[in-house]
Amino acid sequence: MSTTEQTGAARIDHVVVPGTFDPVTLGHMDVISRTRKLFPRVTVAVAASVNKRGRGTAFTLEERVEMLRQALAEEGLSDVEVLPFTGLLVDFCHGIGALGVVKGLRAMTDFEYELQQADLNCHMAPDIESVFVMSNPKYGYVSSSIVREISSMGSDVSSLVPPCVNQRLKEHYSA
């Protein structure tokens, strides 16, 4: 008898990697790539996040979805699905049949926030597991907000984002 049969636990074949991805960074790409190695089916859920921290996003939801699709295709990860979503993450997961949520962690501050979110998700949907992936140390300092700030000042962010995103940032901040 397998461990799954003994415990009654379901095998997790489909997970969601959620985020705002405003814009997607190489840190995000690393977490998505590593998640794809662990699970047979991965969906990246791009949150609308209209009022994230009291302000809007630099890129529209459609632009963020397109940038992610292009970046994943360039990395040979075109089998990773990218979908926009609004509302509760657990409702989104139920709607697409995903039984897990994967989040990348850079530092203790990420852990505290993500643990709180995981606890709330568990309360609302105990059937959905939370999985945490530690960031690769070379991306531990990279965040979308840092990338936006550096790019808005005309500095090079090519070592922090996929090439297609770098181009979009140059276009966005030169306008």
Side-chain angles (χ1 to χ4, degrees):
M1 183 177 280
S2 72
T3 304
T4 300
E5 291 170 319
Q6 291 172 352
T7 64
R11 177 180 165 89
I12 300 174
D13 291 326
H14 185 190
V15 296
V16 169
V17 179
T20 307
F21 305 105
D22 187 37
V24 62
T25 69
L26 292 179
H28 293 128
M29 295 295 292
D30 177 63
V31 168
I32 295 165
S33 174
R34 290 166 53 214
T35 299
R36 181 59 189 89
K37 291 176 186 175
L38 296 170
F39 298 97
R41 185 168 174 211
V42 176
T43 299
V44 177
V46 183
S49 297
V50 176
N51 292 315
K52 186 173 183 178
R53 295 184 181 96
R55 55 188 188 275
T57 57
F59 294 97
T60 68
L61 180 58
E62 295 77 18
E63 289 173 319
R64 290 180 281 132
V65 166
E66 179 55 35
M67 280 189 282
L68 253 163
R69 286 181 178 151
Q70 186 176 355
L72 290 167
E74 288 173 357
E75 287 296 312
L77 293 167
S78 54
D79 63 335
V80 173
E81 184 176 33
V82 180
L83 296 173
F85 87 98
T86 58
L88 293 174
L89 178 60
V90 293
D91 292 341
F92 177 81
C93 289
H94 284 145
I96 64 168
L99 293 177
V101 172
V102 177
K103 298 292 296 214
L105 299 176
R106 293 171 299 192
M108 283 305 293
T109 52
D110 284 351
F111 178 76
E112 291 173 14
Y113 174 79
E114 296 301 346
L115 179 61
Q116 184 179 41
Q117 295 303 305
D119 288 348
L120 285 168
N121 288 342
C122 184
H123 175 74
M124 292 184 289
D127 58 319
I128 297 175
E129 293 292 336
S130 292
V131 178
F132 298 105
V133 174
M134 298 308 299
S135 92
N136 183 318
K138 68 182 178 181
Y139 302 121
Y141 64 93
V142 179
S143 70
S144 294
S145 58
I146 293 290
V147 164
R148 286 192 313 272
E149 185 173 350
I150 293 169
S151 185
S152 72
M153 294 179 190
S155 291
D156 180 33
V157 293
S158 61
S159 64
L160 307 176
V161 297
C164 64
V165 174
N166 189 46
Q167 184 59 41
R168 293 292 289 271
L169 284 163
K170 286 178 182 178
E171 294 166 3
H172 182 79
Y173 288 113
S174 68

